[in-house]
Amino acid sequence: MDKDAGTEPVGAGRGGTGGELLSIGAFARASRLSPKALRLYDELGLLPPAQVDPVSGYRRYSSAQLERARLVAWLRRLGMPLARIRDVCGLAAGPAADAVAAYWAQTEADTAARRELAAFLVDQLSRKGTTVDASMDMSMDASVDTTAAGATEGTPAGGPRARRRLEIRYAARSDTGLVRESNQDTAYAGDRLLAVADGFGGAGASAGAAAVAVLRGLESFDGGALRPGDLLNALADAVRQADRSVRDVVAAAAGPGAESGSGPGAESGAGAGPGAGGGPGAGSGPGAGSGPGAQPVPDVAGTTLTAMLWTGSHLALVHVGDSRAYLLRDGGLFQITHDHTHVRSLVEEGRLTPEEAESHPQRALLVRALGSGADCEPEVGLHEARPGDRYLLCSDGLSAVVPADSVRGVLTTAPDPGQAVRDLVALVHDAGAPDNVSCVVADVSAAA
């Protein structure tokens, strides 16, 4: 990289004709990229060839493009999505370095839960010898306001070390917004369970409430005395039970002989109908679901579900759909769930940029949801709690309307969870509140 090229993109040389022309095979060998990858990068505009034969369509590349190609190869080895690689390659050297550092910080946050679980399992297996208990098997993909506090002793049976006593303080708020006539979101916060469900379709409000009601059965679950594998299995099983409950609710609302849902690809923001959110902090009442600007699909109904179960030292996460969970730690805000949407998969494949995804007409099309006939396999994970952590669960009525920097500003400055949820809903109202909005905020602190 030229040290004097501070204002040029780090991948300068794309599509140019300077330097020796190489066949696609020779360029692939020199750049350590396969010809198949080069053809894909050409289609995406990431690495177009310097010359294309108008008759045969044969691609030739300039030797001046090798720097950009090698950068793409290195970033792919990091696991960076193609759309993000395209952005990095368009930056000058300094901002590009910052972008890679930010990506890696997010990657480390995403893997922190699995690292903690792996360490725990290594300790357990070391104590047991080489025999793995069958019970350790896991299936992993991996306007109401409430405030309260809870504390437990966080020492799992047979755990490797005594853990400090921690407690959480929490608040939940659900709001209809300024456009919808009623609220299909459900927000719940209790001593053990934090949850947000975003219903859609004619029975969306009832669907969300039913899903959260099933998970509330875990509040008496002795997660602090269980191994992580057992706890995550219990969460995954509860989500499957919630899916059955949601299907029953949707079928009952549709009437005798009606089918609940109409197959995969549920669209959040569909239809209207009766229903009530359940539990403290629950949004209640009939109405339309999530997804600003989504077109009604009245024969599809279901709900998203994002929830965390407090064990006294960990927060176990379960997630289906496009509601989100965030962690504010040491001043950085990290999204710890993945959106289960069709558009998100296109972004990860590099076929859409994040900016294009924001205005895509199918941005609310879910590939996973409860009760809609779509895939309901949950994303599960275990997060070690630290004093000073602040967690946010929210429906897309917040995340799709308020920029992440503004969310981080509120979470950083609000003195307590109650103020945080009020300020977040106020931000949504300032932005027009086109959808229902629900959020739960929980703070982790050392017990007095």
Side-chain angles (χ1 to χ4, degrees):
M1 187 179 302
D2 186 348
K3 65 181 181 180
D4 296 324
T7 60
E8 293 184 4
V10 295
R14 50 185 163 177
T17 57
E20 177 189 0
L21 288 181
L22 304 174
S23 69
I24 189 171
F27 190 79
R29 289 189 295 274
S31 63
R32 298 188 179 181
L33 290 168
S34 69
K36 180 180 179 180
L38 290 173
R39 285 189 286 270
L40 173 62
Y41 300 161
D42 179 17
E43 292 174 9
L44 299 176
L46 179 61
L47 190 62
Q51 185 183 95
V52 179
D53 189 291
V55 177
S56 67
Y58 199 78
R59 297 170 172 86
R60 290 183 176 83
Y61 293 82
S62 166
S63 57
Q65 294 180 275
L66 282 172
E67 180 183 354
R68 180 182 179 94
R70 287 166 181 158
L71 176 61
V72 171
W74 292 332
L75 294 176
R76 285 299 286 165
R77 290 185 67 182
L78 281 181
M80 185 177 287
L82 291 174
R84 198 156 183 174
I85 290 175
R86 181 166 51 197
D87 293 340
V88 171
C89 288
L91 297 173
D98 293 341
V100 173
Y103 168 76
W104 192 247
Q106 180 67 60
T107 300
E108 288 183 324
D110 291 342
T111 58
R114 283 179 286 176
R115 183 171 60 247
E116 170 69 14
L117 177 57
F120 191 96
L121 292 176
V122 167
D123 181 83
Q124 291 292 309
L125 292 171
S126 299
R127 292 168 183 268
K128 283 173 170 277
T130 57
T131 302
V132 180
D133 193 321
S135 66
M136 295 187 70
D137 176 59
M138 292 174 263
S139 176
M140 294 184 61
D141 185 347
S143 294
V144 179
D145 194 359
T146 63
T147 58
T152 60
E153 184 73 43
T155 308
R161 65 185 184 278
R163 299 182 183 275
R164 75 180 81 185
R165 286 178 60 88
L166 299 175
E167 66 180 9
I168 57 170
R169 297 191 62 84
Y170 46 81
R173 189 171 183 86
S174 187
D175 187 269
T176 303
L178 301 176
V179 175
R180 304 288 191 184
E181 294 182 356
S182 52
N183 193 352
Q184 287 190 305
D185 282 6
T186 298
Y188 175 85
D191 286 348
R192 297 289 301 278
L193 180 69
L194 314 169
V196 166
D198 184 354
F200 54 85
S206 297
V212 172
V214 170
L215 260 66
R216 288 188 65 188
L218 295 175
E219 288 188 299
S220 58
F221 200 65
D222 192 6
L226 289 178
R227 291 170 298 195
D230 298 322
L231 178 59
L232 296 180
N233 280 339
L235 274 171
D237 289 343
V239 168
R240 295 183 186 100
Q241 181 182 345
D243 183 59
R244 292 191 292 270
S245 179
V246 169
R247 288 173 183 269
D248 290 343
V249 166
V250 171
E259 294 290 336
S260 63
S262 63
E267 180 127 21
S268 64
S284 63
S290 70
Q295 295 300 313
V297 188
D299 58 338
V300 178
T303 186
T304 70
L305 180 64
T306 302
M308 302 190 85
L309 187 66
W310 172 244
T311 71
S313 60
H314 291 76
L315 280 158
L317 169 72
V318 65
H319 166 69
V320 178
D322 65 349
S323 296
R324 291 182 177 179
Y326 293 89
L327 167 62
L328 181 74
R329 175 176 286 175
D330 298 330
L333 182 65
F334 305 99
Q335 183 181 339
I336 56 176
T337 55
H338 298 86
D339 295 347
H340 297 149
T341 61
H342 175 61
V343 166
R344 176 63 184 175
S345 66
L346 295 179
V347 171
E348 291 176 347
E349 293 170 3
R351 299 187 180 277
L352 284 180
T353 66
E355 293 74 24
E356 290 169 341
E358 290 178 1
S359 58
H360 195 281
Q362 293 182 315
R363 63 190 179 280
L365 189 67
L366 300 175
V367 295
R368 296 193 206 181
L370 301 185
S372 66
D375 180 10
C376 70
E377 184 65 24
E379 174 185 328
V380 295
L382 194 67
H383 292 260
E384 182 179 17
R386 300 181 189 174
D389 284 351
R390 173 169 278 184
Y391 287 87
L392 165 67
L393 278 60
C394 66
S395 64
D396 68 343
L398 173 66
S399 59
V401 174
V402 178
D405 286 346
S406 298
V407 172
R408 177 181 172 276
V410 166
L411 294 177
T412 302
T413 58
D416 56 71
Q419 188 63 52
V421 295
R422 289 191 291 272
D423 290 349
L424 289 170
V425 171
L427 281 180
V428 175
H429 276 248
D430 290 343
D435 193 12
N436 307 148
V437 56
S438 291
C439 48
V440 174
V441 172
D443 288 351
V444 179
S445 61

